[in-house]
Amino acid sequence: MTDDSSAILDDLLCRWHQWASSGSVARGYASRALVCGDFRVSRQYDDTNGALDDELEHGTMKTVDFQVSEMRDPWRSAIHANARALVVGAAVWSSPRLPADRVERLHVIAEARAQLSERLLAAGVL
């Protein structure tokens, strides 16, 4: 993996982790009205406020999420741990599904990143 593709994958993983973590953790009020919750404004002039960019980002993150979910363990766990570490900026989390040995763990993470890069390349994200 080149430095550019590694930086692009780092950015995608950071954005994906934040996107996937943005769910609600408790029950509360609905985020949309029952009567008109499915109403959508015409997107004809929606390029100035970023709604089209948000929709594109949402589609990209759904693709990344699907590709990660299709990976097998321990590589899927390695991607989750790597994404979490990239968001925080420090590798402070460990996973019981990853090897305890640091060198082996780094090897599994590198292999998982390579697998995900191939998947995202085939999906048209990278």
Side-chain angles (χ1 to χ4, degrees), residues 16-117:
W16 167 72
H17 186 276
Q18 290 172 338
W19 175 83
S21 301
S22 64
S24 175
V25 294
R27 298 188 101 188
Y29 292 108
S31 62
R32 59 186 196 179
L34 289 175
V35 176
C36 58
D38 292 329
F39 174 75
R40 291 188 62 160
V41 178
S42 170
R43 296 182 345 179
Q44 184 176 5
Y45 302 106
D46 222 8
D47 59 344
T48 57
N49 66 3
L52 295 176
D53 294 332
D54 288 344
E55 190 170 323
L56 180 64
E57 177 74 1
H58 181 70
T60 302
M61 294 303 110
K62 281 178 68 172
T63 304
V64 172
D65 192 49
F66 175 75
Q67 294 300 332
V68 171
S69 70
E70 289 294 306
M71 295 175 75
R72 302 178 104 181
D73 272 333
W75 301 285
R76 180 177 54 227
S77 296
I79 290 296
H80 281 278
N82 186 232
R84 196 176 319 141
L86 289 169
V87 168
V88 173
V92 293
W93 285 279
S94 63
S95 172
R97 296 182 181 175
L98 296 178
D101 182 41
R102 183 179 185 275
V103 174
E104 285 182 49
R105 187 173 55 248
L106 291 176
H107 179 68
V108 169
I109 290 172
E111 190 176 329
R113 287 175 59 91
Q115 284 183 17
L116 183 61
S117 293

Side-chain angles (χ1 to χ4, degrees), residues 1-14 71 75-76 78-79 82-83 86 106-120 126:
M1 209 173 349
T2 64
D3 289 338
D4 289 341
S5 62
S6 180
I8 292 170
L9 184 61
D10 287 350
D11 180 55
L12 270 174
L13 287 174
C14 284
M71 295 175 75
W75 301 285
R76 180 177 54 227
I79 290 296
N82 186 232
L86 289 169
L106 291 176
H107 179 68
V108 169
I109 290 172
E111 190 176 329
R113 287 175 59 91
Q115 284 183 17
L116 183 61
S117 293
E118 289 176 14
R119 288 174 165 273
L120 294 177
L126 283 181

